[in-house]
Amino acid sequence: MADAKGHDSGLEGIVVADTRLSDVDGERGRLVIAGRDVEVLAQTSRFEEACALLWEAPTEDVVRRIGVARAAAFERLSQLGDALERASAMDALRAGLGHLQSSDDALADAASVVGATAVLVAAWLRTRARAAPIAPDPSRRHTEDFLRMALGVEPKPERSRGLDAYLVTVSDHGMNASTFTARVITSTGSDMISAVVGAVGALKGPLHGGAPGPVLDMLDAIGDPAHARVWLEHELDAGRRIMGMGHRIYRVRDPRAAVFEDQIERLAEAAASARGDEGRRVRERLALARAVEREAESVLAARHPDRALRANVEFFTAVLLEAIGLPRELFASTFAAGRAAGWCAHVMEQRARGRLIRPASHYIGPAPA
Ligand code: COA
């Protein structure tokens, strides 16, 4: 929204870079990542392949480097002291990434960031559960190793595939706040690790990446579709926002929501054929989420008739990551595990083509006496 002088504090519509990485069409609800529609990329690519596309590097090389980076990150865990025990998942991730050494090799740094992120997220969860972190297996698929390290059991293949679809889908998204942060830091000539650490700080905020945990809290609090409307009205009357609704760019439903719904249905189907109960739980959760989404749209439309406030990526992230078996305290850091691929790609692009990003401000303080 513009202030009284017309200066737009949210920088809406200001283009700060040419990019080949992703294109967000907010009017039509279309997201293109590295030249592919997100729906196609999520169905056909494992996470390392998306990294390879974004980093313009051979897939086999990227797979190998990320595996090696997971092993190296695990060796360095002891440097973190008690950060894994004391800090929140995002603070532990920020601290852990801060220990990485940058080099002159951008691809090595990017792989090192992505590998370390998975290890740090998993080790944080294990430490919280008073269990020893599990060593990575560099020969495994990244998502399979991520889930194995985090949950301590052999992951079902459909869960690793669901996590691949999730990480690929969130790997890049135009000039979002954390990506912009990474580009600003890079534009000063700083290194990739500093840019990524700054980006984690930006992603931590509830208006950006911190919403899916609260979305699940909301679904728990509502419990039954019949209670949704009253609960939502009460939240808005109390001056709070509905988490997982609204977006700066999208004026229609976020296309990533449908990608996640599809993945949740696949997980429910696989679970139902193995064990009836788990499949039923996932289906019930999805049904509740869809009902709450419909009510939230309607309540928000009544209060903001001029602004389309529809479900964003984080609404169904909550249901998908829960169905994959991850606890809600890990949702924001798992988002970071995917977006790290895009941050690193933007750092490479900014370095290659960008200039110092240095906007101006309008002084409204007192004049000197
Ligand atoms: N719940 C209730 N009201 C909302 C809302 C939500 N989720 N999202 C926007 N609004 C309202 C604002 O209160 C504002 O009302 P006002 O004009 O009466 O003050 C209006 O809609 C415009 O909001 P604004 O903050 O200008 O939109 P934005 O483009 O700056 O914000 C978000 C986009 C994502 C920050 C915002 O929609 C939001 O806070 N969503 C909830 C958090 C979330 O899901 N974050 C994850 C984003 S992917």
Side-chain angles (χ1 to χ4, degrees):
M1 190 175 293
D3 68 18
K5 296 258 180 223
H7 297 115
D8 189 346
S9 54
L11 299 181
E12 281 110 325
I14 309 283
V15 175
V16 296
D18 288 336
T19 182
R20 57 155 204 91
L21 299 171
S22 63
D23 185 29
V24 185
D25 182 339
E27 298 298 326
R28 287 188 296 167
R30 185 171 189 199
L31 169 61
V32 171
I33 300 176
R36 283 118 179 119
D37 277 310
V38 67
E39 295 81 1
V40 175
L41 198 64
Q43 270 198 26
T44 55
S45 303
R46 66 191 259 197
F47 180 55
E48 293 94 319
E49 287 164 343
C51 291
L53 286 170
L54 289 167
W55 303 344
E56 292 187 300
T59 303
E60 316 80 71
D61 192 22
V62 168
V63 168
R64 188 187 54 77
R65 282 176 186 260
I66 291 178
V68 169
R70 287 199 303 275
F74 188 79
E75 294 303 317
R76 280 191 307 268
L77 277 180
S78 58
Q79 293 174 1
L80 278 176
D82 60 1
L84 289 175
E85 268 160 69
R86 292 179 172 275
S88 70
M90 286 298 271
D91 288 349
L93 177 60
R94 196 187 54 204
L97 291 174
H99 277 77
L100 296 178
Q101 294 292 321
S102 55
S103 71
D104 295 334
D105 180 347
L107 188 56
D109 284 357
S112 160
V113 164
V114 163
T117 303
V119 169
L120 289 162
V121 173
W124 180 86
L125 186 65
R126 296 283 298 168
T127 307
R128 276 302 166 106
R130 304 204 175 283
I134 294 172
D137 174 354
S139 69
R140 287 183 186 241
R141 190 182 178 105
H142 187 66
T143 50
E144 183 187 298
D145 214 18
F146 181 116
L147 289 175
R148 194 184 60 88
M149 289 189 288
L151 303 176
V153 290
E154 198 56 44
K156 298 192 183 89
E158 64 270 17
R159 291 190 171 191
S160 318
R161 278 199 297 275
L163 186 58
D164 268 311
Y166 171 72
L167 297 179
V168 165
T169 301
V170 301
S171 63
D172 201 48
H173 198 247
M175 198 50 63
N176 60 88
S178 56
T179 296
F180 182 53
T181 305
R183 288 193 82 129
V184 170
I185 293 172
T186 305
S187 83
T188 69
S190 188
D191 62 284
M192 188 181 286
I193 305 305
S194 301
V196 167
V197 168
V200 170
L203 190 74
K204 185 181 162 189
L207 300 189
H208 187 5
V215 167
L216 218 48
D217 296 340
M218 170 175 74
L219 296 181
D220 282 345
I222 292 174
D224 186 308
H227 305 149
R229 193 157 197 106
V230 171
W231 192 93
L232 293 164
E233 296 277 16
H234 180 264
E235 281 298 286
L236 293 172
D237 289 344
R240 289 188 284 270
R241 292 187 175 200
I242 308 302
M243 288 294 124
M245 299 297 295
H247 198 272
R248 172 56 64 83
I249 306 286
Y250 292 117
R251 292 294 160 260
V252 292
R253 195 169 189 249
D254 187 327
R256 296 168 296 178
V259 174
F260 293 168
E261 276 182 293
D262 176 50
Q263 290 299 324
I264 297 161
E265 298 212 354
R266 286 169 195 240
L267 282 165
E269 226 161 83
S273 55
R275 281 201 311 276
D277 238 24
E278 192 185 322
R280 186 175 47 75
R281 266 202 308 278
V282 175
R283 276 195 200 293
E284 280 175 8
R285 196 58 132 170
L286 181 58
L288 175 63
R290 283 175 167 152
V292 171
E293 179 193 11
R294 274 195 304 276
E295 287 295 347
E297 268 180 16
S298 141
V299 168
L300 287 167
R303 297 194 183 216
H304 297 279
D306 300 333
R307 179 160 180 109
L309 295 169
R310 311 280 310 271
N312 62 47
V313 65
E314 309 221 349
F315 199 89
F316 287 97
T317 287
V319 185
L320 175 58
L321 293 185
E322 185 187 53
I324 287 170
L326 293 171
R328 66 194 76 189
E329 307 81 52
L330 233 54
F331 289 179
S333 53
T334 304
F335 188 172
R339 184 56 55 83
W343 292 334
C344 295
H346 278 272
V347 168
M348 295 176 196
E349 202 175 62
Q350 180 70 31
R351 267 188 198 154
R353 296 211 288 269
R355 295 174 62 221
L356 175 69
I357 299 174
R358 203 306 187 185
S361 51
H362 172 235
Y363 181 66
I364 54 162

